[in-house]
């Protein structure tokens, strides 16, 4: 049986002539294999571990993509992009966590663009995917969802290994002004005649709203989100520090009992999202977001000092570090 190799002419088909299809679909080359086990193997690239690195709001972008159910932030296009495309200077763009049916973008009749961070399309580079959706929306006609054309993984990559422009290339570098919502009413544009949405739209919106976990973004520190998924409340805080210095710092604080965000809180572990570490705390019963503000500010100062401390960990701190590393959580 012929094997899928790097040489052209496998089953009489040059690799460049084989179109990309779904991973479980039969490979168009005619081998009888699924695409993911045939020509798709050579087109599969390693994921970009920190897709939003380089932006000052990288932790919040990760949070909008991975943690927050419903939030928005107005976007401003970069000066370099607008210099090449002045026709887009007055376009309104609203970044959101997710859109109906997990589409990447929607262009309203007014021309306003809704752009999603969370979509149903898996990716090896989230920043390129969101940027590609934004560019497609800027070029699309109003009134329809935008489904940007997906290129084969690994194709058309530049010197930096990216498969196209990123959000770093297209957006103004100022940090996002994020608003967290209790539901998805921002999906629906204001009605000019004062009537509400159609019944089927209202029903879909009600279902989406019912699934939203109550979430609040702290104002005293960046990228820290209080949430209440059930009877308990938690604080999930996306950290911009590199992983190894951060884990050492968490261990230093844990060793002296300072890894807390208020009385009754408990560090329960961390998970990784888009290349960043996200520590998680259980909060005291009844603790709301406001009660976390001052303790979070104090913890940030302690954490900064601990990260800056590069002396070797002592025996107690090493034991704590093993415990910190072992408490790896799965985000649900």
């Amino acid at each position: 049986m012929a094997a899928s190799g790097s040489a052209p002419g496998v089953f009489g088909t040059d690799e460049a002539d084989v179109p990309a299809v779904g991973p479980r679909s039969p490979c168009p080359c005619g081998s009888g294999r699924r695409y993911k086990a045939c020509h798709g193997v050579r087109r599969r690239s390693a994921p970009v571990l920190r897709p939003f690195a380089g932006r000052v709001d990288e932790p919040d972008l990760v949070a909008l993509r991975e943690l927050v159910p419903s939030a928005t932030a107005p976007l401003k296009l970069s000066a370099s992009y607008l210099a090449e495309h002045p026709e887009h200077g007055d376009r309104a763009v609203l970044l959101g966590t997710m859109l109906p049916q997990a589409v990447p973008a929607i262009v309203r009749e007014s021309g306003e663009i809704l752009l999603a961070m969370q979509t149903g399309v898996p990716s090896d580079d989230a920043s390129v995917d969101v940027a590609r959706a934004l560019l497609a929306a800027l070029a699309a006609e109003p009134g329809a969802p935008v489904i940007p054309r997906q290129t084969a993984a690994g194709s058309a990559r530049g010197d930096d290994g990216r498969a196209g422009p990123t959000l770093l290339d297209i957006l103004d570098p100022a940090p996002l002004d994020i608003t967290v919502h209790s539901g998805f009413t921002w999906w629906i544009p204001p009605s000019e005649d004062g009537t509400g949405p159609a019944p089927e739209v209202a029903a879909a919106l009600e279902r989406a709203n019912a699934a939203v976990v109550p979430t609040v973004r702290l104002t005293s520190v960046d990228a820290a989100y209080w949430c209440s998924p059930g009877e308990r409340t938690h604080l999930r805080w996306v950290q911009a520090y590199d992983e190894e210095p951060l884990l050492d710092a968490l261990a230093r604080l844990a060793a002296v009992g300072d890894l807390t965000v208020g009385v009754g809180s408990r560090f329960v572990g961390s998970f990784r999202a888009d290349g960043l570490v996200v520590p998680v705390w259980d909060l005291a019963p009844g603790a709301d977001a406001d009660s976390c503000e001052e303790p979070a500010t104090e913890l940030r100062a302690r954490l900064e000092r601990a990260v800056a401390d590069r002396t070797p960990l002592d025996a107690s701190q090493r034991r704590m570090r093993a415990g910190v590393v072992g408490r790896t959580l799965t985000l649900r």
Side-chain angles (χ1 to χ4, degrees):
M1 179 175 179
S4 170
S6 60
V10 177
F11 296 97
T13 306
D14 288 343
E15 182 175 349
D17 296 330
V18 177
V21 296
R24 299 178 67 84
S25 300
C27 187
C29 76
S31 67
R33 290 176 161 185
R34 290 178 175 175
Y35 179 71
K36 68 177 182 179
C38 192
H39 279 79
V41 170
R42 297 194 298 278
R43 292 178 175 174
R44 190 178 306 139
S45 59
V48 175
L49 295 182
R50 289 182 63 173
F52 308 113
R55 284 195 59 92
V56 296
D57 53 12
E58 177 190 9
D60 271 311
L61 283 168
V62 171
L64 295 188
R65 179 170 168 80
E66 304 288 348
L67 309 181
V68 183
S70 180
T72 57
L75 295 184
K76 183 179 179 181
L77 300 173
S78 68
S80 59
Y81 178 83
L82 290 176
E84 296 182 6
H85 303 278
E87 70 276 13
H88 296 152
D90 60 349
R91 293 297 296 273
V93 183
L94 187 68
L95 182 68
T97 45
M98 68 180 302
L99 293 171
Q101 299 180 346
V103 297
I106 292 174
V107 183
R108 287 175 168 167
E109 292 291 350
S110 64
E112 181 185 22
I113 294 170
L114 302 185
L115 181 67
M117 287 294 291
Q118 303 172 22
T119 70
V121 180
S123 168
D124 65 355
D125 193 333
S127 186
V128 168
D129 275 359
V130 179
R132 185 181 294 138
L134 175 55
L135 293 175
L138 288 166
E141 294 296 324
V146 175
I147 309 296
R149 187 177 70 86
Q150 297 294 316
T151 58
S155 66
R157 290 182 178 266
D159 294 338
D160 61 355
R162 313 297 282 261
T166 69
L167 290 181
L168 193 67
D169 302 318
I170 298 174
L171 299 185
D172 184 270
L176 299 177
D177 181 13
I178 296 171
T179 300
V180 177
H181 302 274
S182 60
F184 292 98
T185 54
W186 55 271
W187 283 354
I188 310 299
S191 174
E192 294 183 0
D193 58 8
T195 61
E200 62 274 13
V201 175
L205 189 61
E206 184 177 357
R207 289 193 297 271
N209 289 345
V212 172
V213 172
T215 302
V216 178
R217 182 179 185 269
L218 300 195
T219 59
S220 57
V221 296
D222 293 334
Y225 291 83
W226 173 96
C227 65
S228 180
E231 294 183 357
R232 298 196 63 87
T233 57
H234 311 286
L235 185 72
R236 302 189 292 199
W237 192 349
V238 187
Q239 298 292 326
Y241 297 112
D242 291 338
E243 182 170 337
E244 293 305 314
L246 175 61
L247 293 176
D248 284 352
L250 296 175
R252 294 180 196 277
L253 296 181
V256 294
D258 279 347
L259 191 53
T260 63
V261 281
V263 176
S265 67
R266 181 175 65 93
F267 174 77
V268 294
S270 64
F271 59 92
R272 288 152 187 81
D274 291 320
L276 298 183
V277 176
V278 187
V280 180
W281 289 263
D282 274 349
L283 302 176
D288 59 11
D290 288 342
S291 70
C292 297
E293 297 285 2
E294 184 175 349
T297 302
E298 295 169 351
L299 176 56
R300 178 181 58 187
R302 296 196 300 270
L303 194 57
E304 288 175 351
R305 292 193 295 269
V307 169
D309 182 355
R310 297 305 174 92
T311 59
L313 300 180
D314 62 26
S316 173
Q317 292 167 341
R318 288 196 299 271
R319 287 194 297 271
M320 285 296 181
R321 193 185 195 281
V324 167
V325 172
R327 297 177 186 177
T328 301
L329 307 176
T330 300
L331 181 63
R332 298 185 184 277

